[in-house]
Amino acid sequence: MARKTVCVTVAVGWFLAACGGPEPIETDLLYLQQGDAVSIVAAGDSSESFRAVTAVPSHDWSTVVRTETSGESVRVVALDPSTGKEMWSQATTGRLAVKVVSADGSAAVLEPEGGRYMRSPTRTKFLIARRSTVAPQTIELEGNFAPEAFSTDTQSLFVVQYLPARTPNRYQVRRLDLTTGEVTDVYSVDAELQEAMRGTARIQAMSPDGTRLYTLYTVKNRGASYAFIHVLSLDELWAHCVDLPEEFATAPQKASALAVSPDGQHLYVANGRERILAEVDTQALTVTRTAPVDFANGARAHALHSSGDKLYLAGGTKVSVVDLETLEVVNWWETNGPITGLQARADDTRVYVGRTTGVDVYDPATGNSVGFVDPPGSGTVGRLGPVARGLDPARAKYVCAC
């Protein structure tokens, strides 16, 4: 497929058309991650709209939090990526890394840099930076904990406790009260205790409104294998496990993908190795439909729910378009190289397909290539789009679960 640079346009602001017509056009914003850097690029522009290193975005990219280090001094800075302006900041000391940002961008949790997971500490230290406080709050816990997500009111931090601390073989999702410093158990929606179990975390996705975190787990226990979605309610403070069909039990991390519908009513779970798709009703907390879907071919998988009734699944060099009324593939096309992410225009007339060397632009109705974007200043495209959250490598390595 031939490459050509065109004026391509996801949505924010009006600009004069730069490639021909005098009429103003909407400019699509591409959300990119490269290592520890995040950037936003208007697809038709010659410079980045926003870039930050050692940074973590909120789930919807409305806030990006980064660290600025000078010797032993550190500034924790929250930025509005639409303007680049500083929203709030706090000063502290030490070598710290941002791990989690709250849905509203008003809080972030930081940890000391280094291989904390691999060292399996018996004590854990968190720093909580907030818009509303003068200095970060320091919390030290007995045990081996990792931050998972803030509650929507930012008064609690859900954490993963590794057990036993030095040589973990299981873990448990628990809740840290940021007012009292107390760690408490998490119960399911039907008031059952979420106990520690064995299993392996694969991939995560946040609901569009930031109130739910979904994690795919696979479990091997005494020769039996199974898989489930761990649903964590960040506003109502409960958790629940939704069992998946047996075909998902052997899904490797790279071949797994999650996508949440824009209204949050459905979660789609894709296994590229077994070539199967499952639909989860997020209100009933049950699998409603499954269907065979040919995509990924065992390569790294990606999923994107469009603003309409389409689901885009990608893996390797192939993009498949699934009609959500029937769960059937209605179109597909090949790309020029391995895919690193997906993003779609709000009106569903363009799909952006990330590759390490740039971003291909397609017409999803025909599968035809209509352009190529070489994001200025971004270098290698490691991930495209406000997509499913990546997991720390250790989370996908340990044999543990909720």
Side-chain angles (χ1 to χ4, degrees):
M1 296 181 183
R3 296 182 183 177
K4 59 180 179 179
T5 301
V6 299
C7 240
V8 287
T9 68
V10 170
V12 172
W14 290 90
F15 295 83
L16 290 180
C19 295
E23 296 298 322
I25 60 172
E26 284 187 314
T27 300
D28 289 347
L29 299 182
L30 306 179
Y31 298 87
L32 307 169
Q33 296 187 51
Q34 315 88 25
D36 66 349
V38 298
S39 62
I40 299 176
V41 174
D45 284 2
S46 59
S47 62
E48 293 171 303
S49 301
F50 174 84
R51 181 175 175 83
V53 296
T54 61
V56 174
S58 60
H59 79 284
D60 61 356
W61 285 65
S62 61
T63 306
V64 171
V65 180
R66 74 178 182 193
T67 55
E68 299 174 352
T69 302
S70 177
E72 289 299 312
S73 299
V74 178
R75 284 186 75 230
V76 183
V77 183
L79 302 169
D80 180 346
S82 67
T83 63
K85 292 183 178 179
E86 183 176 306
M87 301 168 66
W88 56 269
S89 67
Q90 289 187 345
T92 184
T93 59
R95 300 189 63 83
L96 300 168
V98 181
K99 292 297 183 179
V100 174
V101 178
S102 65
D104 65 359
S106 69
V109 57
L110 298 91
E111 286 187 327
E113 288 185 340
R116 189 190 69 81
Y117 293 103
M118 302 311 293
R119 290 198 303 269
S120 301
T122 57
R123 288 189 63 83
T124 299
K125 180 179 180 179
F126 294 139
L127 271 77
I128 310 298
R130 294 182 182 274
R131 182 203 303 266
S132 58
T133 58
V134 176
Q137 173 189 11
T138 300
I139 295 179
E140 294 195 28
L141 303 173
E142 292 286 346
N144 186 348
F145 294 86
E148 182 84 326
F150 281 97
S151 60
T152 54
D153 64 5
T154 74
Q155 298 307 300
S156 295
L157 178 68
F158 287 97
V159 294
V160 174
Q161 182 176 12
Y162 293 91
L163 300 164
R166 290 190 180 278
T167 57
N169 58 24
R170 64 192 188 281
Y171 52 79
Q172 181 177 3
V173 176
R174 307 189 73 193
R175 183 173 67 88
L176 169 62
D177 187 315
L178 295 176
T179 301
T180 66
E182 182 183 6
V183 177
T184 60
D185 291 328
V186 176
Y187 290 82
S188 71
V189 68
D190 47 9
E192 292 186 2
L193 174 65
Q194 292 278 291
E195 298 178 340
M197 294 173 61
R198 297 175 184 269
T200 305
R202 294 303 186 187
I203 192 171
Q204 289 183 325
M206 187 76 78
S207 64
D209 64 1
T211 63
R212 295 270 187 95
L213 178 63
Y214 301 98
T215 307
L216 170 63
Y217 286 91
T218 60
V219 181
K220 290 183 179 180
N221 187 21
R222 298 178 181 178
S225 298
Y226 59 97
F228 61 89
I229 295 294
H230 184 265
V231 185
L232 185 58
S233 172
L234 305 179
D235 55 351
E236 298 177 347
L237 310 184
W238 52 258
H240 191 78
C241 293
V242 179
D243 291 330
L244 294 173
E246 62 181 7
E247 292 91 339
F248 289 87
T250 58
Q253 183 178 23
K254 72 174 186 176
S256 303
L258 300 177
V260 188
S261 61
D263 61 8
Q265 298 297 304
H266 294 94
L267 170 72
Y268 293 91
V269 189
N271 179 345
R273 187 166 76 175
E274 302 297 334
R275 303 180 187 181
I276 188 170
L277 176 69
E279 179 186 74
V280 177
D281 184 320
T282 61
Q283 302 306 303
L285 297 174
T286 186
V287 174
T288 52
R289 295 187 294 170
T290 63
V293 177
D294 185 12
F295 87 104
N297 299 323
R300 184 166 298 280
H302 305 274
L304 172 68
H305 194 302
S306 74
S307 57
D309 59 354
K310 298 292 189 295
L311 179 72
Y312 300 101
L313 298 176
T317 60
K318 181 179 181 180
V319 179
S320 298
V321 184
V322 178
D323 185 323
L324 292 178
E325 289 293 324
T326 63
L327 294 189
E328 294 180 350
V329 174
V330 294
N331 196 11
W332 64 272
W333 62 84
E334 293 281 346
T335 65
N336 294 326
I339 297 167
T340 61
L342 298 169
Q343 192 173 324
R345 184 183 290 182
D347 63 6
D348 235 11
T349 60
R350 291 291 183 269
V351 173
Y352 297 94
V353 180
R355 297 187 291 108
T356 56
T357 55
V359 180
D360 292 316
V361 190
Y362 290 90
D363 179 347
T366 64
N368 293 334
S369 174
V370 295
F372 176 79
V373 180
D374 186 6
S378 64
T380 299
V381 179
R383 184 180 296 174
L384 168 67
V387 295
R389 300 177 3 150
L391 286 164
D392 187 285
R395 284 290 305 278
K397 179 179 179 180
Y398 283 149
V399 181
C400 315
C402 69

